[in-house]
Amino acid sequence: MSLKNINLLLFLILFQLQCKSQKVDLAYTSEILKIIPVSENVFRHVSYLETKDFGKVACNGLIFIKNNEAVVFDTPTHDKESEELLAWLTNEKKATVKAVVVNHFHIDCLGGLAAFHNHNIPSYANEKTIELAKKDNANIPQEGFKLQNELEIGGATIMNKHFGEAHTKDNIISYIPSEELIYGGCMVKTVNASKGNLEDANVMEWSNTIQNIKKNFPNLKMVVPGHGKPGGIELLDYTEELFKTN
């Protein structure tokens, strides 16, 4: 074999290895929904929203499963996707969904909420989220809290808390201590992301809110944003810097 052919062969092998390394393992996939493992107990669900300004947008939510009980953070974008997610949890994971937590009042957080209510799954949100959802004629979460709420499933605790205004007035974070993980929703940006939709944002307070979150959770292992890839504390660092006003 000539040196040229050997170099070509090595290139093809390296290219294939690179493609395999970039491939994302999926727990479930369809045309409208993907479920991606984050850890043994945590999965990211991805559904899609057609928008006027940004085209087709992939939207993240989260699933936490512990001892055959589950909590979903943000619904998929529509009821059909939510039904697929609930079927997967029931049939594949043998898990009972105990609650759905809504991050803020936009459709990429509660578009599929009716499907959860149809299955008698209680929904939780900041009181401001309920107020804004009513004004927006959106699906309305059932149980409101002022600043903080705690849920327990399968012996594990989840904290949902409003740290301040950012992407919206009502946005919260959800913290799972056993996983040292935060689901930040759309107030947290994946690294190199743009500022995104600012229609309901408080850009003057956004960076301060992120600083407040970082002070409260200095030892995070995982941060999951509302759009794009999860990561570590660097997502909070990037978001804080992105919205600095001085």
Side-chain angles (χ1 to χ4, degrees):
M1 184 180 292
S2 70
L3 181 60
K4 183 179 179 181
N5 287 338
I6 291 172
N7 287 336
L8 178 61
L9 181 61
L10 287 172
F11 171 79
L12 290 172
I13 291 170
L14 288 171
F15 180 76
Q16 287 179 332
L17 287 172
Q18 186 179 25
C19 289
K20 286 181 180 178
S21 68
Q22 291 176 348
K23 186 177 179 181
V24 177
D25 290 329
L26 298 174
Y28 174 86
T29 182
S30 73
E31 290 184 359
I32 58 174
L33 179 69
K34 290 179 173 57
I35 300 175
I36 305 165
V38 174
S39 70
E40 181 181 355
N41 299 314
V42 179
F43 298 81
R44 174 168 57 112
H45 66 79
V46 182
S47 55
Y48 302 90
L49 190 65
E50 289 289 347
T51 68
K52 184 169 63 176
D53 295 329
F54 300 97
K56 186 177 181 180
V57 177
C59 306
N60 292 336
L62 206 72
I63 307 163
F64 176 52
I65 306 172
K66 192 74 172 179
N67 295 326
N68 298 109
E69 294 185 339
V71 170
V72 177
F73 303 89
D74 283 347
T75 76
T77 50
H78 304 93
D79 290 337
K80 186 176 181 181
E81 292 89 326
S82 292
E83 290 289 354
E84 280 193 20
L85 184 149
L86 292 170
W88 177 79
L89 281 166
T90 300
N91 300 327
E92 297 298 323
K93 305 306 288 185
K94 311 301 181 188
T96 301
V97 182
K98 306 298 287 186
V100 56
V101 178
V102 175
N103 183 273
H104 61 279
F105 76 99
H106 287 167
I107 190 172
D108 51 354
C109 300
L110 46 65
L113 194 58
F116 286 81
H117 291 167
N118 288 340
H119 287 269
N120 298 314
I121 297 166
S123 55
Y124 298 83
N126 186 348
E127 285 182 353
K128 291 181 182 178
T129 301
I130 295 174
E131 178 186 329
L132 290 166
K134 287 178 179 178
K135 289 181 180 177
D136 209 37
N137 293 318
N139 292 320
I140 300 170
Q142 296 166 331
E143 302 289 335
F145 57 89
K146 283 189 179 296
L147 289 177
Q148 184 172 323
N149 157 274
E150 287 192 0
L151 299 173
E152 185 173 313
I153 62 150
T157 302
I158 298 159
M159 186 186 80
N160 307 296
K161 187 170 181 177
H162 176 67
F163 276 92
E165 298 184 10
H167 176 69
T168 59
K169 293 179 179 180
D170 59 316
N171 48 208
I172 63 169
I173 61 94
S174 294
Y175 174 56
I176 307 173
S178 61
E179 302 286 327
E180 294 183 22
L181 177 149
I182 273 181
Y183 175 64
C186 299
M187 88 162 88
V188 176
K189 300 295 180 181
T190 194
V191 173
N192 295 325
S194 68
K195 292 183 177 181
N197 177 17
L198 302 178
E199 184 178 351
D200 299 301
N202 185 338
V203 293
M204 300 303 293
E205 284 299 317
W206 200 317
S207 185
N208 294 332
T209 298
I210 295 296
Q211 281 185 34
N212 197 12
I213 294 168
K214 286 170 61 177
K215 286 176 185 175
N216 279 267
F217 307 106
N219 300 313
L220 289 173
K221 289 183 178 177
M222 182 68 67
V223 178
V224 181
H227 306 278
K229 293 180 181 179
I233 197 77
E234 72 275 4
L235 271 67
L236 297 179
D237 293 337
Y238 175 77
T239 305
E240 179 186 349
E241 192 65 31
L242 185 65
F243 288 97
K244 271 190 175 175
T245 55
N246 50 37

